[in-house]
Amino acid sequence: MNETATCSNCETTLVVVDLTEHDHVSCSQCGATFPLSQVSDTPPRTSRQAVASMVLGVASIVGLFFTGIPAIFLGIRALVRMRRNPLLLKGHSMAIVGILSGGGFGLICGSCVSLMFFGAQIGANFAMQRLECVAHVEEIGMALESYRLAHDQLPPPSSTDSNGKPLLSWRVLILPYFSQHPEYKQLYDKFHLDEPWDSAHNKTLLNQIPTVYRCPADPVATGPFTNYAAVTGKGSAFDLQDTRDDKDNPGPLRAHVLVGEVPSSEKISWTE
């Protein structure tokens, strides 16, 4: 944009292309060179960048950092150019408003919204994982119920040999009773049922832990370690299994705590 100025030496009217891009002006008549700050009759004009900074800064109430960052950039650039040519450009207050509003609404509020969004996303993911853990407990409970209906009692905490030595966990014994997972029955058939869980053969199956025995919400669930353990001891359903049959309790096991959730840091192997 062309601007006019008056030579302070010979009073010749000069035409200057973009005042903000020049530090000095040379008079075409007398050849005098003088800084633009000495031009007395050139009224300062409002910096377009300052205006844009203020508009974008206010818009950052809605646009957040998408308009806040450009507002800060344009505001700083406008202040630099106004400082360079204080008599030719004005709009300091607009540039400052743009910088402050862009920084306040754009960066701070935008960052808070982003943190809230990611926090909500993390919370939603954790909630979904917890629901999946609950679903695993329900599946295990149904498998235990199916085992009870087939054998008139719950599975023992572990199978034993003729000398009473523990062999395989109840988690292995109920594998054929997960109706929605026929692959678990195939895994069950691979075990040597007359050998302990840590025998040379059975140990090769440790890492084939069924997903139903893991809680997705456990952040350190690795290896063959399970998140679910039977509630045993005096008075528990497993403790009373030798005296319970379908005549005593024909309905489903709804009023008994059978399985509890444990962290994988307890390092309970799922076949143990």
Side-chain angles (χ1 to χ4, degrees):
M1 178 178 179
N2 296 342
E3 300 285 355
T4 61
T6 301
C7 176
S8 59
N9 185 40
C10 65
E11 297 185 352
T12 300
T13 300
L14 307 175
V15 177
V16 182
V17 179
D18 193 358
L19 290 171
T20 61
E21 295 297 331
H22 296 80
D23 291 321
H24 295 76
V25 173
S26 296
C27 178
S28 59
Q29 295 297 323
C30 67
T33 301
F34 55 91
L36 284 176
S37 59
Q38 295 180 5
V39 178
S40 59
D41 63 345
T42 303
R45 63 180 174 85
T46 302
S47 169
R48 292 188 294 270
Q49 292 180 341
V51 174
S53 173
M54 183 180 68
V55 172
L56 291 173
V58 174
S60 64
I61 298 175
V62 177
L64 301 178
F65 44 73
F66 294 106
T67 57
I69 293 176
I72 295 172
F73 173 77
L74 290 174
I76 293 174
R77 186 171 181 182
L79 288 176
V80 170
R81 301 187 74 176
M82 283 185 284
R83 184 177 181 181
R84 178 182 174 184
N85 300 292
L87 299 181
L88 302 179
L89 293 173
K90 64 180 181 178
H92 292 76
S93 59
M94 289 186 288
I96 292 173
V97 169
I99 293 172
L100 293 179
S101 57
F105 295 114
L107 298 183
I108 298 176
C109 295
S111 299
C112 290
V113 170
S114 298
L115 289 175
M116 290 173 62
F117 173 78
F118 288 116
Q121 185 66 33
I122 293 173
N125 290 340
F126 182 76
M128 291 297 295
Q129 291 172 340
R130 288 304 312 166
L131 288 175
E132 191 172 348
C133 294
V134 172
H136 287 180
V137 173
E138 293 177 351
E139 284 189 78
I140 293 171
M142 288 188 291
L144 286 168
E145 175 68 7
S146 297
Y147 184 101
R148 185 182 76 97
L149 294 176
H151 299 273
D152 294 335
Q153 64 176 12
L154 290 170
S158 64
S159 60
T160 57
D161 60 15
S162 57
N163 297 319
K165 179 182 178 181
L167 298 178
L168 292 166
S169 167
W170 60 272
R171 287 176 288 268
V172 175
L173 301 181
I174 66 172
L175 285 177
Y177 298 94
F178 286 94
S179 58
Q180 297 181 349
H181 298 280
E183 68 274 14
Y184 291 175
K185 174 62 168 63
Q186 299 172 5
L187 177 59
Y188 173 83
D189 292 336
K190 295 179 181 179
F191 281 93
H192 291 175
L193 301 180
D194 58 345
E195 297 178 4
W197 68 275
D198 57 353
S199 68
H201 172 78
N202 288 340
K203 284 181 67 174
T204 63
L205 304 174
L206 273 175
N207 289 327
Q208 298 185 40
I209 177 173
T211 56
V212 74
Y213 290 144
R214 278 227 181 107
C215 174
D218 187 339
V220 293
T222 57
F225 306 119
T226 181
N227 291 110
Y228 304 104
V231 178
T232 60
K234 187 175 182 180
S236 67
F238 281 93
D239 182 55
L240 299 175
Q241 63 182 331
D242 292 336
T243 59
R244 177 187 289 114
D245 56 33
D246 284 340
K247 294 180 181 179
D248 298 324
N249 186 19
L253 294 170
R254 291 177 180 172
H256 302 280
V257 178
L258 302 177
V259 176
E261 187 176 318
V262 296
S264 59
S265 58
E266 293 291 328
K267 296 188 180 301
I268 301 176
S269 297
W270 74 279
T271 61
E272 182 179 356

